Amino acid sequence: MTKGMRLFAGNSHLEFAREVARLMGQELLEPSLTDDRKKGTQIKWFSNENVLVDIKVRVFQDHCFIIQTQSPNVSEHIIELLWMVRALRASQAGNITVVMPYMPYVRSDKKDHAQVCIGAKLFIDLLIEAGATGLILADPHFAQIHGFAKTNNFQIETLKAKPIILKHILANHDLENTVVLAPDLNEATHSRPMAEMLGLPIAVIDKRRVADDEKPEPMGMIGKVRGMHCLAFDDESMSLRTLLEAGKYCCEKEGALSFSSCITHPILSNLAGLREYQETDYFRKLIVTDSIPVPPEKRIGKLEFVSLAQNFADIIDLVNRGINPDEY
């Protein structure tokens, strides 16, 4: 066990937290932890939907890491996390770093309308107010997240998951006759680095609005996909709609041989979309990370996992030792 370090977990993704702890050789302090006082578990939810967090170990001046990602029930897990942070602060912990592979409200990063809340900013404000001193997350959707903290004493570290996915693809997949596919012009900027790292060409679907319903429709292809296998990337996906539409257009209209997708955060809330992906022959693989739990009913046969546990274990170790992961 690392001296001066404590590793805690909320209820959001215990499988992932246990794997990180195993890889670090670190004891994981789970929600079910009890002590000799026999006053219940470390995290206890009551029938009135209130939560009690009672830290069961001595944490005086320790660097405490809490593993808690976004997963259903999102609001419940946010409250659980904030209570854990405040309980650790009340227990006189030293630094308190939140390890959150997928951060709630991370897509709410700007004012889309005049009277909306910037959810990502508010969430980080709440962590700071509760007493957290740092945050570690993966593929945060927007690069400017490092500027969202209202104090310089709150350190945000971001893990780039796509290169980890690329390493997995290079080691386990034949990329002969493969092209990286961007579903639209906006995604081309994000897809080009993936193509360059894989040494593959890139193709882009040219979408345009042709009706008054504001829904863009594919009008053509920039680049070549005919007779090739398409590989698309995305930070997260709920319905798979964009990827399903892109695959259908590439394979049925442009003559592509197959379509595979790589998603960092597999929300996959649309079971009908998952079934379509599984049952359509030209959809080949759906490669995802374990940043959030994927329940059994979403684990289709074409699903392929890339674990981020070792990478998060490495970052936690560096942060605990006071080393900037970006300079390592």
PDB file of all heavy atoms in Angstrom, residues 78 82 85-86 119-132 150:
ATOM      1  N   ILE A  78     -23.962  11.853  -8.061  1.00  0.00           N
ATOM      2  CA  ILE A  78     -23.379  13.180  -7.823  1.00  0.00           C
ATOM      3  C   ILE A  78     -23.487  13.534  -6.348  1.00  0.00           C
ATOM      4  O   ILE A  78     -22.508  13.981  -5.727  1.00  0.00           O
ATOM      5  CB  ILE A  78     -24.079  14.246  -8.693  1.00  0.00           C
ATOM      6  CG1 ILE A  78     -23.718  14.060 -10.160  1.00  0.00           C
ATOM      7  CG2 ILE A  78     -23.694  15.657  -8.226  1.00  0.00           C
ATOM      8  CD1 ILE A  78     -24.479  14.965 -11.103  1.00  0.00           C
ATOM      9  N   LEU A  82     -20.384  14.214  -3.689  1.00  0.00           N
ATOM     10  CA  LEU A  82     -20.200  15.457  -2.932  1.00  0.00           C
ATOM     11  C   LEU A  82     -20.158  15.191  -1.433  1.00  0.00           C
ATOM     12  O   LEU A  82     -19.363  15.791  -0.699  1.00  0.00           O
ATOM     13  CB  LEU A  82     -21.325  16.443  -3.274  1.00  0.00           C
ATOM     14  CG  LEU A  82     -21.342  16.971  -4.714  1.00  0.00           C
ATOM     15  CD1 LEU A  82     -22.592  17.796  -4.962  1.00  0.00           C
ATOM     16  CD2 LEU A  82     -20.093  17.795  -5.006  1.00  0.00           C
ATOM     17  N   VAL A  85     -16.730  13.709  -0.564  1.00  0.00           N
ATOM     18  CA  VAL A  85     -15.688  14.747  -0.533  1.00  0.00           C
ATOM     19  C   VAL A  85     -15.767  15.546   0.764  1.00  0.00           C
ATOM     20  O   VAL A  85     -14.760  15.754   1.451  1.00  0.00           O
ATOM     21  CB  VAL A  85     -15.816  15.684  -1.754  1.00  0.00           C
ATOM     22  CG1 VAL A  85     -14.883  16.881  -1.608  1.00  0.00           C
ATOM     23  CG2 VAL A  85     -15.510  14.937  -3.050  1.00  0.00           C
ATOM     24  N   ARG A  86     -16.981  15.974   1.119  1.00  0.00           N
ATOM     25  CA  ARG A  86     -17.131  16.792   2.324  1.00  0.00           C
ATOM     26  C   ARG A  86     -16.801  15.986   3.583  1.00  0.00           C
ATOM     27  O   ARG A  86     -16.192  16.516   4.535  1.00  0.00           O
ATOM     28  CB  ARG A  86     -18.539  17.374   2.392  1.00  0.00           C
ATOM     29  CG  ARG A  86     -18.813  18.267   3.611  1.00  0.00           C
ATOM     30  CD  ARG A  86     -17.743  19.355   3.769  1.00  0.00           C
ATOM     31  NE  ARG A  86     -17.761  20.320   2.700  1.00  0.00           N
ATOM     32  CZ  ARG A  86     -18.366  21.493   2.759  1.00  0.00           C
ATOM     33  NH1 ARG A  86     -19.002  21.848   3.862  1.00  0.00           N
ATOM     34  NH2 ARG A  86     -18.319  22.307   1.732  1.00  0.00           N
ATOM     35  N   GLY A 119     -23.589  23.534 -17.144  1.00  0.00           N
ATOM     36  CA  GLY A 119     -23.563  22.447 -16.174  1.00  0.00           C
ATOM     37  C   GLY A 119     -22.168  21.991 -15.783  1.00  0.00           C
ATOM     38  O   GLY A 119     -21.911  21.677 -14.616  1.00  0.00           O
ATOM     39  N   ALA A 120     -21.234  21.928 -16.741  1.00  0.00           N
ATOM     40  CA  ALA A 120     -19.877  21.472 -16.440  1.00  0.00           C
ATOM     41  C   ALA A 120     -19.197  22.417 -15.449  1.00  0.00           C
ATOM     42  O   ALA A 120     -18.505  21.974 -14.519  1.00  0.00           O
ATOM     43  CB  ALA A 120     -19.061  21.377 -17.722  1.00  0.00           C
ATOM     44  N   LYS A 121     -19.400  23.719 -15.635  1.00  0.00           N
ATOM     45  CA  LYS A 121     -18.805  24.713 -14.727  1.00  0.00           C
ATOM     46  C   LYS A 121     -19.405  24.590 -13.330  1.00  0.00           C
ATOM     47  O   LYS A 121     -18.680  24.612 -12.313  1.00  0.00           O
ATOM     48  CB  LYS A 121     -19.041  26.119 -15.284  1.00  0.00           C
ATOM     49  CG  LYS A 121     -18.540  27.266 -14.386  1.00  0.00           C
ATOM     50  CD  LYS A 121     -17.019  27.252 -14.294  1.00  0.00           C
ATOM     51  CE  LYS A 121     -16.493  28.531 -13.666  1.00  0.00           C
ATOM     52  NZ  LYS A 121     -16.915  28.726 -12.277  1.00  0.00           N
ATOM     53  N   LEU A 122     -20.722  24.436 -13.248  1.00  0.00           N
ATOM     54  CA  LEU A 122     -21.375  24.318 -11.946  1.00  0.00           C
ATOM     55  C   LEU A 122     -20.917  23.054 -11.228  1.00  0.00           C
ATOM     56  O   LEU A 122     -20.674  23.069 -10.014  1.00  0.00           O
ATOM     57  CB  LEU A 122     -22.895  24.305 -12.111  1.00  0.00           C
ATOM     58  CG  LEU A 122     -23.699  24.106 -10.828  1.00  0.00           C
ATOM     59  CD1 LEU A 122     -23.401  25.210  -9.817  1.00  0.00           C
ATOM     60  CD2 LEU A 122     -25.189  24.046 -11.120  1.00  0.00           C
ATOM     61  N   PHE A 123     -20.771  21.951 -11.964  1.00  0.00           N
ATOM     62  CA  PHE A 123     -20.358  20.701 -11.334  1.00  0.00           C
ATOM     63  C   PHE A 123     -18.973  20.841 -10.711  1.00  0.00           C
ATOM     64  O   PHE A 123     -18.742  20.402  -9.582  1.00  0.00           O
ATOM     65  CB  PHE A 123     -20.374  19.564 -12.355  1.00  0.00           C
ATOM     66  CG  PHE A 123     -19.950  18.247 -11.777  1.00  0.00           C
ATOM     67  CD1 PHE A 123     -20.801  17.521 -10.961  1.00  0.00           C
ATOM     68  CD2 PHE A 123     -18.679  17.744 -12.040  1.00  0.00           C
ATOM     69  CE1 PHE A 123     -20.404  16.305 -10.411  1.00  0.00           C
ATOM     70  CE2 PHE A 123     -18.279  16.533 -11.493  1.00  0.00           C
ATOM     71  CZ  PHE A 123     -19.141  15.813 -10.682  1.00  0.00           C
ATOM     72  N   ILE A 124     -18.038  21.453 -11.432  1.00  0.00           N
ATOM     73  CA  ILE A 124     -16.691  21.647 -10.887  1.00  0.00           C
ATOM     74  C   ILE A 124     -16.715  22.600  -9.706  1.00  0.00           C
ATOM     75  O   ILE A 124     -16.020  22.402  -8.700  1.00  0.00           O
ATOM     76  CB  ILE A 124     -15.739  22.135 -12.000  1.00  0.00           C
ATOM     77  CG1 ILE A 124     -15.531  21.013 -13.016  1.00  0.00           C
ATOM     78  CG2 ILE A 124     -14.395  22.573 -11.416  1.00  0.00           C
ATOM     79  CD1 ILE A 124     -14.710  21.401 -14.225  1.00  0.00           C
ATOM     80  N   ASP A 125     -17.555  23.642  -9.780  1.00  0.00           N
ATOM     81  CA  ASP A 125     -17.715  24.563  -8.634  1.00  0.00           C
ATOM     82  C   ASP A 125     -18.190  23.805  -7.394  1.00  0.00           C
ATOM     83  O   ASP A 125     -17.723  24.061  -6.276  1.00  0.00           O
ATOM     84  CB  ASP A 125     -18.714  25.672  -8.966  1.00  0.00           C
ATOM     85  CG  ASP A 125     -18.142  26.719  -9.907  1.00  0.00           C
ATOM     86  OD1 ASP A 125     -16.912  26.733 -10.111  1.00  0.00           O
ATOM     87  OD2 ASP A 125     -18.929  27.522 -10.442  1.00  0.00           O
ATOM     88  N   LEU A 126     -19.110  22.872  -7.582  1.00  0.00           N
ATOM     89  CA  LEU A 126     -19.635  22.095  -6.461  1.00  0.00           C
ATOM     90  C   LEU A 126     -18.555  21.207  -5.847  1.00  0.00           C
ATOM     91  O   LEU A 126     -18.466  21.070  -4.619  1.00  0.00           O
ATOM     92  CB  LEU A 126     -20.821  21.243  -6.916  1.00  0.00           C
ATOM     93  CG  LEU A 126     -22.109  22.000  -7.248  1.00  0.00           C
ATOM     94  CD1 LEU A 126     -23.116  21.067  -7.912  1.00  0.00           C
ATOM     95  CD2 LEU A 126     -22.715  22.634  -6.002  1.00  0.00           C
ATOM     96  N   LEU A 127     -17.721  20.599  -6.695  1.00  0.00           N
ATOM     97  CA  LEU A 127     -16.618  19.780  -6.180  1.00  0.00           C
ATOM     98  C   LEU A 127     -15.665  20.629  -5.335  1.00  0.00           C
ATOM     99  O   LEU A 127     -15.232  20.210  -4.253  1.00  0.00           O
ATOM    100  CB  LEU A 127     -15.847  19.143  -7.339  1.00  0.00           C
ATOM    101  CG  LEU A 127     -16.529  18.023  -8.119  1.00  0.00           C
ATOM    102  CD1 LEU A 127     -15.605  17.520  -9.232  1.00  0.00           C
ATOM    103  CD2 LEU A 127     -16.912  16.868  -7.203  1.00  0.00           C
ATOM    104  N   ILE A 128     -15.344  21.810  -5.835  1.00  0.00           N
ATOM    105  CA  ILE A 128     -14.428  22.700  -5.107  1.00  0.00           C
ATOM    106  C   ILE A 128     -15.050  23.147  -3.798  1.00  0.00           C
ATOM    107  O   ILE A 128     -14.397  23.161  -2.743  1.00  0.00           O
ATOM    108  CB  ILE A 128     -14.050  23.909  -5.988  1.00  0.00           C
ATOM    109  CG1 ILE A 128     -13.236  23.438  -7.203  1.00  0.00           C
ATOM    110  CG2 ILE A 128     -13.265  24.938  -5.186  1.00  0.00           C
ATOM    111  CD1 ILE A 128     -13.003  24.512  -8.241  1.00  0.00           C
ATOM    112  N   GLU A 129     -16.320  23.518  -3.834  1.00  0.00           N
ATOM    113  CA  GLU A 129     -17.006  23.965  -2.629  1.00  0.00           C
ATOM    114  C   GLU A 129     -17.073  22.847  -1.587  1.00  0.00           C
ATOM    115  O   GLU A 129     -16.970  23.100  -0.382  1.00  0.00           O
ATOM    116  CB  GLU A 129     -18.412  24.445  -2.976  1.00  0.00           C
ATOM    117  CG  GLU A 129     -19.186  25.038  -1.808  1.00  0.00           C
ATOM    118  CD  GLU A 129     -18.540  26.293  -1.238  1.00  0.00           C
ATOM    119  OE1 GLU A 129     -17.877  27.026  -2.012  1.00  0.00           O
ATOM    120  OE2 GLU A 129     -18.692  26.544  -0.024  1.00  0.00           O
ATOM    121  N   ALA A 130     -17.239  21.611  -2.037  1.00  0.00           N
ATOM    122  CA  ALA A 130     -17.301  20.481  -1.109  1.00  0.00           C
ATOM    123  C   ALA A 130     -15.953  20.205  -0.469  1.00  0.00           C
ATOM    124  O   ALA A 130     -15.894  19.634   0.626  1.00  0.00           O
ATOM    125  CB  ALA A 130     -17.802  19.241  -1.841  1.00  0.00           C
ATOM    126  N   GLY A 131     -14.863  20.600  -1.159  1.00  0.00           N
ATOM    127  CA  GLY A 131     -13.538  20.414  -0.581  1.00  0.00           C
ATOM    128  C   GLY A 131     -12.562  19.642  -1.433  1.00  0.00           C
ATOM    129  O   GLY A 131     -11.446  19.347  -0.992  1.00  0.00           O
ATOM    130  N   ALA A 132     -12.925  19.301  -2.671  1.00  0.00           N
ATOM    131  CA  ALA A 132     -12.009  18.579  -3.547  1.00  0.00           C
ATOM    132  C   ALA A 132     -10.878  19.492  -4.009  1.00  0.00           C
ATOM    133  O   ALA A 132     -11.055  20.712  -4.138  1.00  0.00           O
ATOM    134  CB  ALA A 132     -12.751  18.017  -4.759  1.00  0.00           C
ATOM    135  N   LYS A 150     -12.486  27.743 -10.564  1.00  0.00           N
ATOM    136  CA  LYS A 150     -12.431  29.130 -10.116  1.00  0.00           C
ATOM    137  C   LYS A 150     -11.199  29.419  -9.270  1.00  0.00           C
ATOM    138  O   LYS A 150     -10.994  30.551  -8.843  1.00  0.00           O
ATOM    139  CB  LYS A 150     -13.697  29.468  -9.328  1.00  0.00           C
ATOM    140  CG  LYS A 150     -13.881  28.638  -8.062  1.00  0.00           C
ATOM    141  CD  LYS A 150     -15.194  28.978  -7.384  1.00  0.00           C
ATOM    142  CE  LYS A 150     -15.410  28.138  -6.133  1.00  0.00           C
ATOM    143  NZ  LYS A 150     -16.717  28.438  -5.497  1.00  0.00           N
TER     144      LYS A 150
END
